[in-house]
Amino acid sequence: MPIEHPTAGSDGVRRRTIIIGAAAGLVTAAASASAPAFAAPSYTSIPKLPYEVSRLDTQVTSIGKKKYEAIDVVYAGDRMRLFVPHASPPKASVGVLWYYHSNGSDYTSLTNVYKWSAMMAVDAGAVCICANYGGSLWTSEPSLAAHRNSVKYMSAVWKIAVSFMRANSGGGPLMSYAYGTKMVPAVRGMYMASAAYDMEDLYDRDPVRIPPVYGYNRDLAVATNPARLPQSSWAGTRIRTVVSMSDPLVPPPQHTLALVEKAKPVARETSVEYHDGGHKVPDWTSTDMIQTFKRWLAEG
């Protein structure tokens, strides 16, 4: 299946410390004469992927000791980071775990924010992806276009048998919209942690940072607001959300608790887990997410 080069939007969003600035997770690597040399990347088990721009030496998961490749791809102007298990080479039928970075973060969140849970997913043979999705562009058209391109890319390289989705904080609206509009193939469920959902609430409470993304046109934010999707969009879905009622940045009643309330009558499963840590995402969500996804997989 050929992959073409559609265009995607660019980032231009200023960071502001009012809403959803958690876990920037930006990493730079500086080489020095005293630093140990990296081994050459291996292409033996996972050949060079289309549009691949870099990969590390072969990685090994912490628990299952499974080998995988950490690969960066640039497709249609958007960068994606992939964890590819040796058990899941291109053209194989695979499960895919789609990660959504927080506002102010980027595709490197797979390595810096989500790595522990991603390694557990690799142990189970899943390919993990965190795309840049155009940057911190919420559910604007450039972000949606970048997401559609990431789906096109992944579907061309692998046969996607099942998908799961995970977002923290400001990644929640894009993930929710993608799930509710069936942008991602074969989704079995999504996991939200301290996550946003209602773009109109964010637009109105953050007049400096969010309106520029939509060209100061509130109607555009309304048009792609997952909170505006009809209840039927959530029929048969599975949603698990982890919230703190003391979250000062993303008030749960306006966000994922509102989603659960709408979806529950038609969804296959909704569940809420509470914690008292404010906006901070608890470490235990990594294990809880993997256990939840394994159960959903077994349920079919």
Side-chain angles (χ1 to χ4, degrees):
M1 177 177 177
I3 304 177
E4 299 174 354
H5 283 280
T7 60
S10 63
D11 197 341
V13 182
R14 296 193 318 165
R15 181 175 175 82
R16 181 167 175 260
T17 58
I18 180 172
I19 304 173
I20 315 173
L26 302 178
V27 171
T28 59
S32 68
S34 60
F38 287 101
S42 171
Y43 298 95
T44 302
S45 298
I46 305 298
K48 189 171 184 177
L49 301 183
Y51 304 99
E52 178 178 331
V53 295
S54 67
R55 73 169 66 187
L56 299 178
D57 185 23
T58 298
Q59 308 288 292
V60 179
T61 63
S62 297
I63 298 175
K65 306 303 179 185
K66 302 293 186 181
K67 293 183 178 180
Y68 69 97
E69 302 300 322
I71 300 171
D72 281 7
V73 168
V74 176
Y75 175 58
D78 200 63
R79 197 173 186 111
M80 300 173 262
R81 179 156 294 176
L82 310 176
F83 286 179
V84 183
H86 283 194
S88 301
K91 303 304 179 185
S93 179
V94 300
V96 177
L97 178 44
W98 304 79
Y99 286 99
Y100 297 78
H101 63 78
S102 301
N103 182 257
S105 293
D106 62 10
Y107 67 96
T108 63
S109 292
L110 183 60
T111 302
N112 304 302
V113 177
Y114 295 122
K115 186 174 183 178
W116 185 251
S117 66
M119 286 193 298
M120 288 190 281
V122 166
D123 281 340
V127 177
C128 300
I129 173 174
C130 185
N132 207 40
Y133 304 119
S136 297
L137 301 180
W138 308 100
T139 58
S140 64
E141 182 52 39
S143 183
L144 295 174
H147 197 349
R148 287 191 288 266
N149 288 333
S150 71
V151 172
K152 182 178 181 180
Y153 179 85
M154 295 295 288
S155 298
V157 178
W158 287 276
K159 300 173 184 177
I160 301 176
V162 63
S163 292
F164 295 98
M165 309 167 85
R166 164 68 185 265
N168 295 349
S169 194
L174 179 60
M175 180 178 73
S176 300
Y177 192 80
Y179 192 15
T181 59
K182 299 177 174 59
M183 287 176 60
V184 174
V187 177
R188 200 65 63 90
M190 71 175 178
Y191 192 104
M192 315 178 81
S194 300
Y197 162 66
D198 188 342
M199 281 311 307
E200 291 168 67
D201 176 70
L202 300 182
Y203 190 104
D204 294 339
R205 288 196 295 119
D206 192 351
V208 172
R209 191 163 55 110
I210 295 176
V213 174
Y214 295 92
Y216 297 94
N217 186 340
R218 193 176 188 276
D219 289 343
L220 294 180
V222 171
T224 55
N225 182 7
R228 290 277 185 159
L229 294 174
Q231 187 180 59
S232 59
S233 301
W234 306 109
T237 60
R238 295 177 174 93
I239 301 166
R240 180 161 174 78
T241 182
V242 177
V243 303
S244 170
M245 298 307 291
S246 62
D247 189 334
L249 303 180
V250 185
Q254 284 74 50
H255 290 275
T256 56
L257 293 186
L259 168 59
V260 167
E261 182 179 1
K262 175 185 278 191
K264 189 172 184 178
V266 298
R268 181 160 181 176
E269 177 182 319
T270 61
S271 62
V272 180
E273 187 71 27
Y274 294 89
H275 68 96
D276 59 3
H279 191 62
K280 186 179 186 302
V281 175
D283 292 339
W284 53 258
T285 60
S286 294
T287 300
D288 182 66
M289 181 194 76
I290 294 297
Q291 291 173 344
T292 300
F293 287 171
K294 286 182 176 180
R295 177 171 58 80
W296 289 346
L297 184 63
E299 290 172 354

